[in-house]
Structure formats: C-alpha cells, structure tokens
Amino acid sequence: MQRSISLTAKRLFVHWNLQGIGNPPTVPSFFNLCGSGCWERSFASASGDYREILRNRLSDIIKVDDAVDLFGDMVQSRPLPSIVEFNKLLSAVAKMKKFELVISLGEQMQTLGISHDLYTYSIFINCFCRRSQLSLALAVLAKMMKLGYEPDIVTLSSLLNGYCHSKRISDAVALVDQMVEMGYKPNTFTFTTLIHGLFLHNKASEAVALVDQMVQRGCQPDLVTYGAVVNGLCKRGDIDLALNLLNKMEAARIKANVVIFNTIIDSLCKYRHVEVAVDLFTEMETKGIRPNVVTYNSLINCLCNYGRWSDASRLLSDMLEKKINPNVVTFNALIDAFFKEGKLVEAEKLHEEMIQRSIDPDTITYNLLINGFCMHNRLDEAKQMFKFMVSKDCLPNIQTYNTLINGFCKCKRVEDGVELFREMSQRGLVGNTVTYTTIIQGFFQAGDCDSAQMVFKQMVSNRVPTDIMTYSILLHGLCSYGKLDTALVIFKYLQKSEMELNIVIYNTMIEGMCKAGKVGEAWDLFCSLSIKPDVVTYNTMISGLCSKRLLQEADDLFRKMKEDGTLPNSGTYNTLIRANLRDCDRAASAELIKEMRSSGFVGDASIISLVTNMLHDGRLDKSFLNMLS
DNA sequence: TTAGGGTTAG
C-alpha cells in the first residue's frame, strides 16, 4: 500500500516535469521542517474545560481580528493545541479569503517550531493557488511530498484551481486526465473547479459539455456546480441555456437558491428581457424561494432604466411590505434614475432619506449625486456635494474626479478641470484614460487646440493607455481646427495599429477631409470601408459630394444608402434638399421634400430661409412654402 | 482539520 502511494507521487512529478514546469521552485524558507515530532503534544493532558473553550472559540470565528487573537492565545498556551486545532484556525482564515494572513500565520507557526501536516500543507497550497501563485503552490507540494505526505484529491483539486486561475487551462484539463490515470477519482469539487476554469477561459461549450460528462462518470452535479454554470452562461448572455439548466436542476431534484435566480433575473434585465425577468420573479415565489434585496434591486433598477416608474414603485412597496429593507444599492439605483429623469429635488430627498434610515451613502452614492448635478449643469451643487462627501470621510475615487472634471469641461471650464486634476494627483490618484481624454476634449471645446495636443502628448509619455474614445476626440478636434494633416498622420498610424477602429473614427476623418475640400480623398476612404457605414457616414459623404456640386453622385449614394437598409434621417433630407434648391432643381427638391415629409421629418431653419429668399427673388413660387409647412 | 460557484448600483 505504502509502496503504491509513493509510486503515485513519483509519477505525479514526472507528469509536471513533462508539462514543462521543470523543477518546482524553492520552497519558501518557513516551510522547512524543523524539530519534527517534538511538538506533537496532544491535548490529552489539558483540562476538558480548556478544550471546550478552544473548540467554541474556533467555531465562533467571524472576524479576522478574532482569528488573530485566538492564534496569539493558542501559541502561548501550554501544552500547545494540536495541529488539528491550528488547521481549523487557518481554514477559518482562508474562508475569509485572507490568504496572505494564512501564509503569515503558517510562517509564525514554523518559527515557533509547530510543524505542519498534510492538511496544513493543503491549506497553504490552496492559498497560493487562490492568489494565482502557482509556482509557490507547487513548491509547497514538492516539500510536502519530500516529507512523505501523499497529496489527496483535495490537495490536487486545489492545485487544479491554481492552474485554472493562472491562464493554464489546457494544463488544468491535462491534470484531471492525469489524476484519473493515477487512480484518483475526480469528484464534484474537481469537476466544478474545472468547469469554472473553462468559463474563465471563454470555453463555455466545453464547460457545459463537462456537466453531462460528470454524470456519465458517476458524479452528480450539485448546487455549486449548477451555480458556476448558470453564472458563466449568464455573463455571456446565454440566458436560454441558463434557463434550461433550471429545468435540469428541477429534474435532478436540486433546489435552486435565491442567488441562482438573482443571477438569471439580472441577466434578463441586462439583455432587455424585462418581461421574462418579471415572470421568473413570480415563478421563484411560487416555488417557495424568497426573493431578497438583490432580486428587488435588479428589477427596480431595470424598470427605472426603462422609465417604468409605476412598476418600479410597485415593486418598492412590495419589498417594504415583505419587510425586505432597501439598502444602499436600492437607493443608489433610485437616485440615478431620478437624476436621469431630471427630478433633482427628489434625488436629493432620497439622499436625505438614506441618512434618516441610517443607510450610509457610499462612494457610488456620492458619485451619482455629483454626476446628477453635473448632468444638469449645476456645478456649484456638484462641488458642494463633493465637499460634503469628503467631510463625511468618504474618499473620492478616480471616478468621482472624472465625473467632476467632465462636468467642468462640459461647461467650458477646462481650467477648473485641470485644477481638479492637480488636486487629484496630490491625493495620490493617478489619472486614467478617461481623465486625460476628458481634459483633451475640454481643451478642444474651449478652443485651445494646442493645450489639447499637449495633454495628449503627456498622456502618451505617461504611458496612460489610449483608447478609441481618446482618438475619436483627438481626431475630431484636430479636424475641426483645420489640422487635417496632423489628424491624417495619427489616423494612418491607427490603421496600422492593433486597435479596432469603429465607424465614429471613420466618420470623423471623412468629415475632416470633406471640410478641407478633399472630397475625392474622403470618397476613397468611404469606398475602402471594411465596416458598415451608418447614417452619419452617408450624411457626411452626401454632404461632401453636394459641396462639390456632384448632385448626381450624391443622389446615387442616397439610393445606395436606402438599398443597404440605412434609414435616412432629417439631416440626409435637409442636406440633399438644400443642395438641389441651390442648384435650382425645383422638381428634385419637391420630390425630396415630399419624401421627407412622409418620413415624418421637417425642413430645418436653413431650408426655410433659403426658400424664403428664393421666393423673394422669384426663383420659387408660393406652393413651395406650402409644401414645407 | 484540507478543495469548488454565484447576484445588485456609477
């Protein structure tokens, strides 16, 4: 028996070496064995009372501080508690996800000469794996095996988790196969870990297939397995598959819990299937699963986003009736919704109500309030709220500053925005892509092209990542200030880069070229588009052609646009009508006006004044004006 | 005594 175990261990090493891991790294010093056996004093001599107290304290650990205190007492008590008690403590800390603390306590144990056992090592391996320190986990495993401890299915499942979290999904899959070959029997933990890993690496179909394979391999998926799969599917928007799983669970007599329902309901909300979400909400109640505050928050938020106020308010009362207390998330969703509806007073009242209900507003609450005021150009109130936030010891984060900076920039107060940027940096917050992009836009809007370009240069030299928004704002700014050549240099660089260009960028360049009179170049770019033009692209190009009096070409493009399924808008018609009027083509103009009117659009101010002028000098007759109104 | 998943707000 003993012989077969050590043989297995050896094969395991061969396996890892074959996988190219090489020799496991050196074990951290604290894992070196010292004084083995000498601390293996049992609790036999300790009084029953003491053991009872220790057992109670171990099972009562709720906070990290409790655990640390208990550890201090344990290492001081004589005789020392057994390794079993220490393991229980470490396990409790690991469950709080304080993996670093677990490692540090292990280090202290080693210093004190308390040696580890298989369970202790398994806990460490788990901690290193959860922290994505796979090499350290492997080092502990190597040490452990050197000491004669054979990894069990738990140890290996932890390690599997490490592979899954370390971009080594194919190695993870291979590890499970290897485990089977070596006589380990994968259980629900093993499979669930791998399924979760597959989702993490975007291998959803493999993950779903593995659920069925589990059954074939004599392993029934449990609630946790289904939870992992439902979550993975919902995140990708595969909600139908997630709903199918609910049925599968029912068939397997596994009762879904509220979190699983919440996950699906929230996805349904996000993917705009509100009615299905509400139905599922009713269904869970009939199935005896009580919705909680999260369920209500998802639905209320979604209904508010759709402007379905009465439905949202009905749910809110329903929630209160059922004695489910709204929390900070509920209030945040409502505050946001009120601001978006322009109900500033109501939003502020909600903030007051939170305080009355002793629900502490958090950073998100303040960010929403600040953003709400900024959206409605109430900069002073926004700034006041910012000060209030700071006075309440709620630390502003990068988003708080970005919101305020954006508010000031939109009001053409870019200098105030820059001042905030300085303040932010003094607080140790580093500007991100949004911060720089906002300020670049602010300078352009304030007419300061040079400063905008300077900020962009600074952004690049500070290695702040640029994104598609940065470039659309930069190119748009440069083009509108007549710096087409500079814009072209950047645009050509972008075309060669990895960045996936969107239609907005192309629209900007086509517009810039047309405005600079280079309609031919714009046309070439338009013809070379590898993505679908949108209504703005067509309008810009049509307008460019019209500016060169290429009315036939503009009309051809107008037809092509409709053939391609792009609906013309008010801008399309107005551009074409204006051009045809200027060209004195009354018949074409009249035709277009008719079509425009039947599509529900009207002539804009420039058309009206153009027609009026033409009436005065006799180029048009009165019937034209009648057609327009 | 060791291992697995998951929900809400900007």
Side-chain angles (χ1 to χ4, degrees):
Chain A
M1 189 63 194
Q2 191 59 43
R3 195 181 151 71
S4 80
I5 285 175
S6 62
L7 205 72
T8 313
K10 263 191 186 160
R11 292 179 58 186
L12 202 57
F13 259 115
V14 171
H15 164 69
W16 282 318
N17 285 318
L18 281 178
Q19 280 190 161
I21 294 164
N23 289 321
T26 318
V27 188
S29 63
F30 57 88
F31 284 107
N32 288 327
L33 198 73
C34 62
S36 92
C38 64
W39 292 101
E40 285 172 11
R41 284 178 243 181
S42 72
F43 249 61
S45 59
S47 75
D49 277 357
Y50 182 77
R51 294 182 66 178
E52 186 65 26
I53 291 168
L54 180 57
R55 205 175 301 137
N56 286 339
R57 285 184 70 186
L58 278 169
S59 60
D60 279 354
I61 298 174
I62 299 167
K63 287 185 289 186
V64 179
D65 291 348
D66 299 341
V68 174
D69 288 347
L70 181 53
F71 183 82
D73 292 347
M74 279 167 73
V75 294
Q76 275 170 22
S77 70
R78 291 294 176 274
L80 274 171
S82 72
I83 188 66
V84 175
E85 267 91 13
F86 279 104
N87 288 343
K88 281 185 180 170
L89 178 92
L90 295 179
S91 168
V93 179
K95 288 216 168 79
M96 296 173 194
K97 300 199 170 164
K98 301 288 173 196
F99 305 121
E100 219 160 328
L101 180 59
V102 174
I103 303 298
S104 127
L105 294 178
E107 195 170 342
Q108 289 178 49
M109 281 167 70
Q110 198 70 58
T111 315
L112 293 164
I114 304 164
S115 59
H116 308 317
D117 70 358
L118 169 70
Y119 296 109
T120 331
Y121 286 119
S122 278
I123 295 170
F124 295 141
I125 289 172
N126 180 36
C127 288
F128 283 128
C129 286
R130 297 290 293 261
R131 299 188 66 206
S132 297
Q133 292 176 305
L134 185 60
S135 57
L136 291 179
L138 287 171
V140 175
L141 180 73
K143 188 81 210 171
M144 184 186 119
M145 283 166 56
K146 237 184 216 170
L147 294 170
Y149 292 113
E150 181 72 8
D152 62 9
I153 187 72
V154 177
T155 325
L156 294 178
S157 295
S158 296
L159 201 62
L160 180 69
N161 200 20
Y163 277 98
C164 289
H165 280 100
S166 310
K167 298 184 179 172
R168 305 270 298 259
I169 191 64
S170 50
D171 289 340
V173 175
L175 178 59
V176 175
D177 292 341
Q178 197 75 21
M179 279 163 71
V180 173
E181 261 179 49
M182 289 187 297
Y184 291 96
K185 191 171 185 316
N187 58 21
T188 40
F189 282 83
T190 326
F191 284 117
T192 307
T193 304
L194 188 55
I195 286 170
H196 180 232
L198 288 167
F199 272 116
L200 283 180
H201 294 84
N202 258 327
K203 295 181 184 294
S205 38
E206 281 100 321
V208 175
L210 193 52
V211 181
D212 294 326
Q213 285 170 31
M214 276 177 78
V215 183
Q216 286 155 21
R217 289 161 83 165
C219 201
Q220 276 303 322
D222 63 11
L223 183 65
V224 178
T225 319
Y226 282 112
V229 180
V230 166
N231 188 57
L233 289 173
C234 284
K235 275 206 179 120
R236 302 164 42 94
D238 288 335
I239 315 178
D240 284 339
L241 291 180
L243 285 168
N244 281 345
L245 275 182
L246 274 185
N247 297 330
K248 253 193 193 173
M249 289 175 76
E250 209 162 52
R253 302 215 169 154
I254 295 163
K255 197 177 173 191
N257 63 10
V258 60
V259 178
I260 289 190
F261 273 96
N262 287 350
T263 307
I264 303 180
I265 287 174
D266 191 64
S267 283
L268 286 167
C269 287
K270 292 233 161 76
Y271 287 89
R272 300 163 179 255
H273 306 298
V274 196
E275 293 317 319
V276 189
V278 174
D279 288 347
L280 195 58
F281 170 74
T282 320
E283 191 184 317
M284 73 188 274
E285 287 198 296
T286 56
K287 288 196 171 144
I289 298 159
R290 247 175 79 84
N292 62 16
V293 62
V294 177
T295 328
Y296 281 99
N297 286 347
S298 286
L299 285 166
I300 289 172
N301 181 53
C302 168
L303 291 170
C304 285
N305 284 340
Y306 282 99
R308 288 169 58 172
W309 299 100
S310 56
D311 290 334
S313 120
R314 202 171 310 127
L315 265 184
L316 192 62
S317 349
D318 182 41
M319 175 179 176
L320 295 170
E321 232 168 68
K322 288 189 180 145
K323 305 255 181 267
I324 298 170
N325 289 326
N327 61 14
V328 59
V329 177
T330 325
F331 275 96
N332 288 349
L334 293 171
I335 287 173
D336 186 40
F338 276 129
F339 270 122
K340 281 181 183 151
E341 271 294 295
K343 299 179 174 168
L344 276 65
V345 181
E346 287 85 346
E348 267 200 286
K349 274 199 180 134
L350 279 171
H351 175 221
E352 284 162 21
E353 194 185 327
M354 282 178 84
I355 296 166
Q356 278 163 15
R357 283 179 180 255
S358 322
I359 298 168
D360 282 337
D362 59 10
T363 313
I364 294 174
T365 320
Y366 290 114
N367 288 356
L368 286 169
L369 287 161
I370 291 167
N371 185 49
F373 286 125
C374 285
M375 262 189 336
H376 295 92
N377 298 328
R378 305 268 278 263
L379 268 299
D380 292 335
E381 277 138 302
K383 197 89 199 261
Q384 228 172 314
M385 191 52 77
F386 177 77
K387 279 185 187 156
F388 182 73
M389 167 183 192
V390 176
S391 77
K392 291 283 172 192
D393 288 328
C394 188
L395 280 181
N397 58 16
I398 183 80
Q399 285 186 49
T400 320
Y401 279 101
N402 285 349
T403 304
L404 260 183
I405 291 172
N406 186 44
F408 279 112
C409 287
K410 286 251 160 73
C411 288
K412 306 220 165 158
R413 287 168 63 177
V414 63
E415 291 304 337
D416 289 304
V418 172
E419 184 54 39
L420 275 165
F421 182 82
R422 281 199 201 100
E423 185 189 314
M424 183 184 111
S425 307
Q426 277 164 9
R427 281 179 190 257
L429 287 172
V430 181
N432 61 16
T433 308
V434 178
T435 328
Y436 279 91
T437 304
T438 306
I439 292 179
I440 292 170
Q441 190 175 31
F443 275 120
F444 275 126
Q445 280 171 346
D448 189 347
C449 196
D450 291 341
S451 298
Q453 281 180 268
M454 216 175 61
V455 175
F456 174 71
K457 273 185 194 148
Q458 213 164 53
M459 178 178 188
V460 174
S461 69
N462 289 352
R463 291 173 191 275
V464 179
T466 47
D467 67 7
I468 192 87
M469 273 297 268
T470 319
Y471 287 105
S472 16
I473 286 164
L474 180 68
L475 293 181
H476 185 260
L478 290 170
C479 287
S480 22
Y481 286 94
K483 300 198 174 185
L484 179 65
D485 291 341
T486 317
L488 274 171
V489 172
I490 297 168
F491 178 66
K492 289 202 174 118
Y493 156 80
L494 282 180
Q495 283 184 308
K496 279 184 207 141
S497 77
E498 301 268 288
M499 197 175 286
E500 207 175 304
L501 300 188
N502 61 17
I503 195 64
V504 178
I505 291 264
Y506 288 110
N507 291 346
T508 303
M509 292 313 296
I510 290 172
E511 191 190 7
M513 291 168 174
C514 287
K515 273 198 177 151
K518 301 186 170 172
V519 178
E521 285 175 39
W523 179 251
D524 289 343
L525 180 57
F526 178 84
C527 293
S528 75
L529 282 181
S530 53
I531 51 175
K532 199 178 176 303
D534 66 4
V535 62
V536 178
T537 329
Y538 281 111
N539 287 358
T540 311
M541 201 59 246
I542 287 172
S543 167
L545 293 170
C546 289
S547 72
K548 291 283 180 196
R549 301 222 156 191
L550 297 164
L551 292 202
Q552 187 54 51
E553 284 79 356
D555 192 53
D556 289 345
L557 190 55
F558 178 55
R559 277 171 217 285
K560 183 181 177 294
M561 165 186 192
K562 289 192 280 193
E563 278 166 22
D564 286 352
T566 308
L567 277 182
N569 63 14
S570 163
T572 327
Y573 288 110
N574 278 291
T575 304
L576 281 166
I577 293 165
R578 199 162 39 236
N580 279 286
L581 283 172
R582 287 203 178 116
D583 204 48
C584 288
D585 190 336
R586 267 161 288 186
S589 305
E591 195 61 36
L592 282 163
I593 290 173
K594 225 193 273 169
E595 192 181 321
M596 172 178 77
R597 300 281 302 186
S598 69
S599 306
F601 301 114
V602 290
D604 64 17
S606 77
I607 298 251
I608 306 280
S609 78
L610 190 59
V611 170
T612 317
N613 286 340
M614 291 171 87
L615 279 172
H616 276 134
D617 59 27
R619 279 181 291 167
L620 286 178
D621 55 53
K622 249 198 166 166
S623 63
F624 239 91
L625 202 58
N626 294 337
M627 266 201 324
L628 275 170
S629 56

